[in-house]
Amino acid sequence: MQMATCRALIAFDPDLRTLLPAPQRSLEDVPLEFKGSPAIKHEIESLGVPHTEVGSLRVNNLPAALSDRLHDGDRVAVRGVAPAQGVFNGRGQPCFIADNHLGRLAAYLRMLGFDTLYRNDYQDPELAAVAHQEERILLTRDRRLLMRREVAYGCLLRSLDPQEQLDEVVQRYALAKSARPFRRCLRCNHLLEAVDKADVLDRLQPLTRRYFEEFARCPACDQIYWKGSHYDRMLELIEHCDAPHP
Ligand SMILES: [Zn+2]
């Protein structure tokens, strides 16, 4: 016996509608046909919206979960992730893993002191596996990657511009208040250690030697940092992210 065709309507928030296939993008309610009782998550993702981008969900005007099943005649309303609503593992401070295309964003997040893994040779299965094992938020512009089953925490970046991407992440996870610049190595993500100027004097350029007093060293890769141009740049980044958004 053939299963009957069921129908439901899904209304997406405007910011999620941009992710839908072109014909559905202008629809207030997207009609959906299905058989059986699939998980809502599956149907939403089949329309191009990764589960990580769903902030909340209502079915027939009642709160629902992505794992709930869809039934004939359901009306589903899907909201995006509101600013500061971004969920993470609750370890106090979110930590991240950035995909291969997000080197600049990874460096910016490290500048602000956030634990951010990045390599330019990570493959998709590895990104998803590390994000899962270490409860990291997966940062990517690749929707297929976020739809992988093991990805619990993820953020789909909309912008191509690294500064705007940083802004997206800072807003979504409310990072401005917990930023700690001059704390983490931009090259390798390791925490920095303060060092006496005298101990690194022989490695400094004459002008750095003359004008700067506070130094830190990465114990993993031996890179030296000082509160100079890097530091000013970090402060600028934070100020920008802190600015009110219209
Ligand atoms: Zn380092």
Side-chain angles (χ1 to χ4, degrees):
M1 198 180 83
Q2 267 206 326
M3 266 197 280
T5 300
C6 303
R7 289 179 180 81
L9 291 173
I10 306 191
F12 289 92
D13 257 4
D15 67 313
L16 294 178
R17 262 187 234 161
T18 57
L19 303 176
L20 299 175
Q24 277 97 328
R25 228 168 272 167
S26 57
L27 300 178
E28 293 254 335
D29 291 299
V30 178
L32 200 66
E33 288 194 350
F34 56 95
K35 291 189 192 298
S37 51
I40 296 173
K41 175 183 172 184
H42 178 267
E43 297 305 303
I44 287 175
E45 292 200 328
S46 71
L47 287 165
V49 179
H51 67 272
T52 55
E53 304 313 295
V54 175
S56 67
L57 199 61
R58 294 179 82 82
V59 177
N60 303 325
N61 228 7
L62 293 171
L66 282 163
S67 56
D68 289 353
R69 301 277 157 182
L70 202 59
H71 301 99
D72 193 29
D74 278 349
R75 294 185 72 98
V76 182
V78 187
R79 310 208 97 154
V81 180
Q85 191 202 351
V87 288
F88 52 97
N89 57 30
R91 255 189 264 166
Q93 202 171 64
C95 49
F96 302 95
I97 181 167
D99 85 7
N100 308 3
H101 305 288
L102 301 175
R104 290 271 301 282
L105 173 63
Y108 284 163
L109 284 166
R110 288 172 181 173
M111 272 188 195
L112 300 186
F114 297 102
D115 179 354
T116 307
L117 294 187
Y118 166 77
R119 283 205 331 248
N120 61 12
D121 61 349
Y122 273 135
Q123 300 297 309
D124 284 1
E126 194 179 5
L127 284 165
V130 174
H132 175 72
Q133 285 154 13
E134 302 186 14
E135 295 188 314
R136 288 176 180 272
I137 296 164
L138 178 54
L139 302 173
T140 182
R141 287 183 35 82
D142 179 351
R143 289 192 251 170
R144 288 280 145 207
L145 181 54
L146 291 177
M147 289 180 195
R148 282 176 172 261
R149 188 185 298 269
E150 65 268 49
V151 175
Y153 310 105
C155 175
L156 178 69
L157 295 155
R158 310 299 213 272
S159 178
L160 283 165
D161 173 69
Q163 172 79 65
E164 288 175 11
Q165 290 170 345
L166 178 70
D167 207 41
E168 287 180 46
V169 177
V170 168
Q171 297 293 319
R172 177 151 162 172
Y173 299 100
L175 298 184
K177 286 190 176 62
S178 48
R180 297 258 311 273
F182 205 57
R183 177 171 192 254
R184 202 169 279 278
C185 180
L186 305 191
R187 291 210 307 206
C188 75
N189 195 44
H190 208 283
L191 288 171
L192 302 178
E193 290 174 346
V195 282
D196 286 338
K197 186 175 180 178
D199 292 339
V200 291
L201 210 54
D202 57 333
R203 295 176 57 188
L204 305 178
Q205 298 293 321
L207 287 177
T208 312
R209 207 180 285 186
R210 189 182 310 165
Y211 290 114
F212 302 104
E213 297 303 326
E214 281 187 74
F215 292 86
R217 180 183 154 270
C218 173
C221 75
D222 204 34
Q223 176 80 7
I224 303 281
Y225 294 87
W226 55 91
K227 283 197 177 176
S229 53
H230 267 325
Y231 188 68
D232 293 341
R233 175 92 182 105
M234 292 178 208
L235 296 181
E236 262 174 45
L237 278 176
I238 301 168
E239 256 166 45
H240 172 88
C241 290
D242 237 350
H245 283 69

